[in-house]
Amino acid sequence: MRDVNRFAALCLLALVVAACSSSDGADSTTTRRVATTAAATTAAPTTTSTTESPVLDTRDLFTQISPSVAFITTDTGTGSGVLIEGGWLVTNAHVVWPFDEVRVVFPDGDEINAAPVVRSNVYEDLAVIGPLDVSAPPLTMPVEDDYAVGDTVYLVGYPGEVERFPTPAITQGVVSRVREWEQADMTFIQTDALIAGGQSGGALVSSQGELIGISGLGGFTESNFALVAAGEDLAPRVQQLLDGDTPDRFDGTLPRQGSAATEHAVDLASVWHGAVFVLNEPDGTDVSIELDSANHSVDLTDSIGFSLSTDEQLGPRIEATTEFDEPHFVFVSSNDVGPSGVVVSSSHPLSPLVDPDDDKQVNPGVTVRGVLDVSGDLDVYRIDLAEGETILVSVDGLSDMVLWVDQIGNPDDSLGFDDDSGGGLYGTSAEIDFTAPADGEYLILITDVLFEPGVGYILTVE
């Protein structure tokens, strides 16, 4: 991992409209108005074949669908969710990250202040909440394609919402085309139905009022179209989440943390390496952190990557105040090209974040799945190459991936760099055709332009 602000100076950032919105956050301690979570159950969502249904006018369709679409809030943002059979609420992983409980509100006023996040898959941006004991009717997950290019579709969710008990909104469009994400074997429906922040996790429905997808990716191009994960692909993946079949590495939680202490000695292998600590203190806590080396930098960020440091320039000492009752992150980085050591002293206990992807050895011919665990994460892999040996390195995911090849001790910025030449679902994957100039150990470096937290990716070395 590496400091988010230091890394930002090394690459060009794309301006993208994310499909979830930040907010001041709802009060998670508010008294529950109606509903509570149901007793734990492993009931899976029922999937039945779609039958021919009459076309509904927009008013009737909204009346039928909207009661099943919930408003989700956390301390850092808002989103939408779709209720399916068994009391499960399906949404995007990025809506709930990194919380294990969220606030859920339905249009009829049912409110659950601590709805449990059962499990999530950051690689496919999918999460399940519940089970919930609510009066809203469930929607049925499809098991087969029931849409075609040119079909009228509707998005129902909560874009740009600021009320505590809102009603959902509806937008209309057509199926513009169908895209395939081959790496994940998933289909995405492209539509011109308007999508905005807070609508992640909402329902894409046909003109017959049948669920055909869960919204998630929108506004990432100047064309401002949305990509919606097809429901027939999501149904078995929802079942996997409920069965616990998704690998732990892709669960939407932080990786293992070391012992909390106010002082830590850190060894950094290179300028590309860094250390990240978790600060678990309540909202409004004044924090000071100091390094014993002027050749190192420290920063404190909230969970979505905003720096809370009072100094405009990063340095060996910062003072800041926490915002929200959520994990905060301390980034320590080095200005030394080669190995270095530093002692971190803090006014409050810090827990080292153990990233299982960092310094992992890879070889030609392998495919690795990894996770950018926090905003600003930079994963560092090692590979041994002989002089003249050529490899094709690619990284693919649902975010705008960035890729480097470098060496420890190399004074240049990188030996190879790429942002968007790798193609992928919407042309933002990265790929480098690299030939080793000499025998030695090389570094493969991965991050994403948006500094999104909890992003899964696939690294391939051929």
Side-chain angles (χ1 to χ4, degrees), residues 181-427:
W181 186 20
E182 296 180 358
Q183 287 275 30
D185 192 24
M186 288 184 67
T187 299
F188 285 81
I189 303 165
Q190 180 177 319
T191 176
D192 61 344
L194 293 179
I195 187 170
Q199 205 159 3
S200 290
L204 181 73
V205 296
S206 68
S207 57
Q208 290 82 21
E210 294 159 345
L211 181 67
I212 60 174
I214 304 294
S215 64
L217 302 173
F220 50 79
T221 72
E222 293 179 358
S223 301
N224 198 35
F225 58 78
L227 287 183
V228 179
E232 70 270 13
D233 287 341
L234 294 182
R237 288 168 166 83
V238 169
Q239 182 66 62
Q240 288 177 341
L241 290 176
L242 296 176
D243 292 343
D245 289 343
T246 303
D248 289 339
R249 188 67 190 99
F250 298 97
D251 194 4
T253 56
L254 295 175
R256 180 173 60 87
Q257 299 177 35
S259 300
T262 57
E263 186 171 290
H264 295 271
V266 176
D267 292 319
L268 303 179
S270 72
V271 68
W272 291 116
H273 291 76
V276 179
F277 298 88
V278 182
L279 174 71
N280 292 299
E281 297 294 337
D283 180 16
T285 302
D286 293 328
V287 180
S288 62
I289 304 171
E290 185 171 6
L291 309 180
D292 70 345
S293 167
N295 208 32
H296 293 75
S297 298
V298 62
D299 190 22
L300 176 67
T301 76
D302 62 16
S303 66
I304 56 176
F306 287 109
S307 176
L308 305 181
S309 305
T310 55
D311 298 331
E312 292 184 359
Q313 300 295 325
L314 294 178
R317 177 179 172 81
I318 59 170
E319 294 182 354
T321 302
T322 60
E323 297 180 359
F324 310 116
D325 292 324
E326 62 176 24
H328 288 68
F329 302 102
V330 175
F331 290 80
V332 177
S333 61
S334 171
N335 297 321
D336 291 329
V337 174
S340 65
V342 63
V343 175
V344 183
S345 301
S346 172
S347 60
H348 293 76
L350 306 177
S351 301
L353 194 66
V354 182
D355 188 342
D357 298 320
D358 273 352
D359 272 346
K360 182 181 293 185
Q361 189 77 23
V362 295
N363 299 299
V366 304
T367 296
V368 177
R369 293 190 178 191
V371 178
L372 298 174
D373 297 290
V374 299
S375 178
D377 189 1
L378 178 68
D379 283 347
V380 181
Y381 294 84
R382 296 175 182 263
I383 185 170
D384 294 320
L385 298 174
E387 180 179 355
E389 186 174 0
T390 298
I391 56 173
L392 183 65
V393 186
S394 61
V395 59
D396 191 13
L398 289 180
S399 190
D400 191 346
M401 309 307 298
V402 183
L403 179 66
W404 280 268
V405 177
D406 207 346
Q407 274 185 305
I408 293 178
N410 175 35
D412 299 326
D413 285 344
S414 68
L415 297 175
F417 170 83
D418 185 63
D419 184 1
D420 293 336
S421 68
L425 180 62
Y426 45 91

Side-chain angles (χ1 to χ4, degrees), residues 8 51 59 91 105 110 125 133 140 142 149 151 171 200 212 222 226 238 244 346 354 360 372 374-375 390 436 451:
T51 58
R59 180 180 298 180
T91 187
V105 177
D110 277 1
D125 199 19
D133 182 13
T140 301
V149 173
D151 284 354
T171 58
S200 290
I212 60 174
E222 293 179 358
V238 169
S346 172
V354 182
K360 182 181 293 185
L372 298 174
V374 299
S375 178
T390 298
F451 299 126

